[in-house]
Amino acid sequence: MIDWKEMGDLHVIAKLEEILNKWWGVEMFWTDLHYKIRSKHLDKDYSFKNHFMKVQFGMSYGYEYMGQDVEKVTDGLHENTGSHVVFDSFFKHVKGVASKVVVDGEYLGTVFAYPFIMDSFTEADSEELKKQMIECGSVEADAVAAIEHLKRMSSADIDYFSELVDLVSDEVVTFHSEISKREARIHELNSELGDKYRYHSMIGKSKKMQAIYSLLEKVSTSESSVFIQGENGTGKELVAKAVHFSSPRKDNMFLAVNCSAFNDNLLDSELFGHVKGAFTGAVKDKKGLFESANGGTMFLDEIGDTSLSMQVKLLRVLQEGTYLPVGATTPKKADVRIVAATNKPVKEMMAKGEFREDLFYRINVINVNLPPLRERNDDIPVLMDHFLKKRCDESGVPMKTFSKKCMEKMLDYPWPGNVRELENEVERLVVLAGDEKNITPDNLSARILDHGEAPSSGNTRGINTNGGLKAALEELEALMIREGLKRCNFNKSKLSKELGVSRASLIMKVEKYGLDKRKKAAGEE
Ligand SMILES: Nc1ncnc2c1ncn2[C@@H]1O[C@H](COP(=O)(O)OP(=O)(O)OP(=O)(O)O)[C@@H](O)[C@H]1O
Ligand SMILES: [Mg+2]
């Protein structure tokens, strides 16, 4: 079933609604197959954009008049093979356009754009309409004002206008099927013990993550060092653990050392241990982490923060398999696999002499480069679902669901690379939702909620009111392409089919509007 309630909040639909209202003065609403209005027009505090409709809904039977029209139009559309009709309303000379919402061949609802008059509307027509309105209970002044507010349309306008109304219903269909597909995918994720979506505790179905899984799978039996690079919170530690727990060393220790947490001397003695009398206060021998981790895996986190002298010592462990405890004269043997990670730009550090090249080449036998979340948008829904399930399980509350609007907002936000940020947001939403099963966008953090709400131009909703219709339509086009690209995971062939334009023309438009964010982020081409 279509979730009508949220449709009005979708960007493209809201924008189309604005355009239709601004240039043709109409209201847009939608109805289900039971002739019920499912948009906000029935809300107590709804403020009508069209004065005629406001006056109509203010009449004792205003809603019933509309209901009759809806019924007539819906039944007519059932018979009709076209996508839309121009209909005569109960009120004389007043018209509207209705467009079918068809999902998989099934007619599920109707989008209405109402009311307007034709440019042939005469003084006499106006009188006749006024009379009818008064008979229906309207005060004369209201009726006059309502009629004055009706916009005139030429028959040429109507075709164009109807196409835009069809766009609204197309958008409802696209969004609805996208959500169904996503739900199916998440279902699949849960049922399948997922080679594709999961590797150890890492979640992600994007191509980039799958490439990482298969790399990790390939090296699982090897002893080689692994070097993991990635921005904060991209899952470097998860990769390190996955490397260890899929290796033959998995029954021995996985020892994580945060190199930036120690000063040089401390790190030295932590890692390699010391002998009695090595320094004042060293009253007995101390085992270092390398000894504890013997037979296992050592995860050197933030290795980019180590000093050059420490780097020399690490290099020695890697090259010779031995190390020297502080104060000792004979080296000890180390049987430890090294996995190292950093979020620092090591190449640049090498160029500046801050990181030893020889150590880099020793560690970097297998290189795992973790992409930030903004480069793998299609992991967001599965990660959201994963964290949601984890959180609900942990706190013993029944499983919740994300509303479509909430999902849309989360997908829109350019997560600055950080899965932890996403995880925290989901946790927050679960807590704030309380007993509510459905998670609505109201509790989203302001930065996520406000993102994309106020584009550069003009008024708050972003329609350029100073420009003409053409400018507004171009903005709409850019918006549709931007959202479509995200939806289709930047697959332009798929999107061009969806939008009904050629691939070449889509590419031209993407260039024109500068929309290939992914390309920019990845530094491709
Ligand atoms: N692919 C993923 N699937 C599931 N959870 C993930 C994934 N990536 C990251 N996380 C979660 O995000 C958080 C951060 O992950 P992790 O600590 O591995 O990142 P990091 O790169 O080491 O971060 P930092 O740079 O801050 O040290 C953890 O809670 C982790 O469980
Ligand atoms: Mg980390």
Side-chain angles (χ1 to χ4, degrees):
M1 270 291 102
I2 292 183
D3 186 345
W4 296 100
K5 225 170 68 202
E6 296 196 25
M7 292 301 168
D9 294 329
L10 299 180
H11 296 158
V12 171
I13 294 184
K15 197 146 207 163
L16 272 161
E17 187 176 10
E18 251 187 295
I19 293 178
L20 290 173
N21 179 260
K22 182 166 160 36
W23 272 275
W24 290 286
V26 295
E27 295 268 349
M28 206 175 78
F29 60 92
W30 32 86
T31 56
D32 63 19
L33 282 192
H34 308 292
Y35 318 121
K36 271 216 166 59
I37 295 187
R38 302 302 294 262
S39 41
K40 302 212 168 97
H41 293 72
L42 301 185
D43 291 0
K44 254 210 312 281
D45 53 355
Y46 180 77
S47 72
F48 284 89
K49 300 180 193 83
N50 177 285
H51 194 64
F52 184 92
M53 195 152 167
K54 181 177 176 185
V55 170
Q56 175 175 346
F57 274 55
M59 297 172 179
S60 319
Y61 296 101
Y63 175 62
E64 278 74 10
Y65 304 140
M66 191 79 251
Q68 290 177 30
D69 287 341
V70 168
E71 215 172 307
K72 181 186 73 186
V73 168
T74 307
D75 293 347
L77 277 172
H78 263 297
E79 314 291 309
N80 200 318
T81 49
S83 59
H84 62 260
V85 289
V86 180
F87 65 91
D88 294 318
S89 103
F90 165 80
F91 289 100
K92 288 175 183 154
H93 313 291
V94 177
K95 291 178 185 292
V97 165
S99 169
K100 273 197 232 183
V101 175
V102 179
V103 179
D104 294 332
E106 202 184 341
Y107 177 20
L108 291 183
T110 317
V111 173
F112 285 83
Y114 172 85
F116 58 88
I117 47 181
M118 300 306 291
D119 55 5
S120 53
F121 189 76
T122 62
E123 240 347 274
D125 294 342
S126 173
E127 277 306 311
E128 200 179 357
L129 175 57
K130 187 174 88 186
K131 197 166 145 245
Q132 185 191 10
M133 289 175 80
I134 294 169
E135 277 166 17
C136 291
S138 182
V139 187
E140 174 160 8
D142 280 349
V144 172
I147 296 168
E148 257 171 25
H149 274 91
L150 287 171
K151 287 217 178 173
R152 289 166 182 272
M153 229 185 270
S154 69
S155 29
D157 269 350
I158 284 215
D159 288 339
Y160 191 42
F161 174 78
S162 306
E163 264 177 46
L164 289 179
V165 182
D166 278 345
L167 261 185
V168 178
S169 39
D170 287 351
E171 195 61 23
V172 173
V173 173
T174 310
F175 199 76
H176 174 71
S177 35
E178 175 61 19
I179 290 292
S180 318
K181 256 190 278 166
R182 187 179 295 152
E183 276 161 4
R185 255 186 281 154
I186 288 174
H187 191 74
E188 206 181 318
L189 164 71
N190 287 336
S191 54
E192 188 182 321
L193 270 169
D195 297 346
K196 279 191 202 138
Y197 295 110
R198 178 185 271 270
Y199 185 79
H200 289 261
S201 45
M202 270 181 281
I203 303 283
K205 57 168 283 280
S206 61
K207 286 220 173 68
K208 291 189 178 187
M209 287 309 282
Q210 290 190 27
I212 287 175
Y213 302 160
S214 69
L215 172 69
L216 294 179
E217 187 66 52
K218 269 188 225 140
V219 305
S220 65
T221 52
S222 95
E223 280 287 300
S224 316
S225 318
V226 179
F227 190 45
I228 309 160
Q229 281 172 284
E231 292 174 19
N232 280 329
T234 44
K236 297 187 289 296
E237 185 147 357
L238 290 187
V239 171
K241 285 187 180 148
V243 167
H244 172 72
F245 288 105
S246 56
S247 79
R249 293 174 174 265
K250 64 175 182 293
D251 296 325
N252 296 322
M253 205 172 198
F254 172 82
L255 223 164
V257 186
N258 187 335
C259 299
S260 65
F262 299 98
N263 72 32
D264 224 32
N265 289 335
L266 256 178
L267 183 60
D268 212 357
S269 113
E270 278 296 315
L271 286 178
F272 307 120
H274 60 245
V275 296
K276 185 178 165 187
F279 48 86
T280 325
V283 290
K284 54 177 187 177
D285 285 5
K286 184 191 168 218
K287 238 164 72 165
L289 295 172
F290 267 101
E291 199 168 339
S292 310
N294 215 42
T297 305
M298 169 106 61
F299 175 43
L300 295 172
D301 205 359
E302 318 290 358
I303 197 170
D305 292 345
T306 53
S307 70
L308 287 167
S309 66
M310 178 53 71
Q311 291 173 21
V312 176
K313 290 176 189 168
L314 291 172
L315 181 64
R316 176 182 177 148
V317 183
L318 283 162
Q319 270 175 342
E320 292 161 31
T322 62
Y323 60 92
L324 208 56
V326 178
T329 44
T330 41
K332 284 195 168 184
K333 275 205 99 40
D335 171 24
V336 172
R337 182 183 192 184
I338 300 288
V339 177
T342 184
N343 55 18
K344 293 252 167 83
V346 193
K347 289 247 162 74
E348 282 170 35
M349 290 176 71
M350 284 194 294
K352 284 193 264 174
E354 291 165 5
F355 201 88
R356 292 185 63 105
E357 279 192 44
D358 45 9
L359 178 61
F360 176 77
Y361 290 114
R362 268 290 167 173
I363 300 178
N364 195 35
V365 180
I366 294 151
N367 180 282
V368 179
N369 209 334
L370 279 175
L373 201 49
R374 63 176 176 278
E375 286 171 27
R376 45 187 176 105
N377 258 333
D378 42 344
D379 285 343
I380 293 175
V382 286
L383 280 168
M384 280 171 71
D385 192 62
H386 169 72
F387 292 135
L388 181 67
K389 189 162 184 311
K390 183 171 148 199
R391 188 67 206 174
C392 291
D393 286 352
E394 275 170 12
S395 44
V397 299
M399 184 65 180
K400 298 183 187 300
T401 51
F402 291 105
S403 71
K404 294 169 180 59
K405 176 69 180 164
C406 187
M407 192 66 117
E408 197 199 29
K409 279 275 159 202
M410 298 278 271
L411 279 165
D412 272 356
Y413 182 66
W415 298 97
N418 202 321
V419 181
R420 188 180 288 114
E421 188 187 353
L422 178 80
E423 181 170 6
N424 291 343
E425 187 66 24
V426 172
E427 283 198 26
R428 213 177 142 264
L429 288 171
V430 171
V431 173
L432 294 178
D435 293 335
E436 277 298 320
K437 185 176 176 298
N438 193 32
I439 299 181
T440 56
D442 321 333
N443 290 324
L444 280 170
S445 303
R447 64 183 190 291
I448 299 169
L449 196 57
D450 298 341
H451 177 78
E453 281 296 297
S456 52
S457 64
N459 72 19
T460 48
R461 290 295 289 281
I463 280 276
N464 189 350
T465 38
N466 302 322
L469 177 57
K470 184 164 175 281
L473 289 176
E474 280 188 349
E475 243 181 79
L476 173 71
E477 186 174 64
L479 179 68
M480 290 181 73
I481 295 175
R482 190 182 314 129
E483 309 231 309
L485 281 172
K486 261 190 273 167
R487 198 170 52 231
C488 300
N489 195 22
F490 291 85
N491 181 335
K492 298 201 187 82
S493 310
K494 188 170 162 212
L495 182 60
S496 60
K497 259 182 230 130
E498 228 180 58
L499 295 176
V501 296
S502 74
R503 190 164 180 279
S505 105
L506 178 65
I507 289 172
M508 261 165 56
K509 286 178 200 289
V510 167
E511 302 265 303
K512 173 174 163 194
Y513 300 124
L515 290 176
D516 210 336
K517 253 205 313 209
R518 183 185 64 161
K519 202 150 95 184
K520 268 186 223 148
E524 285 166 21
E525 287 184 340

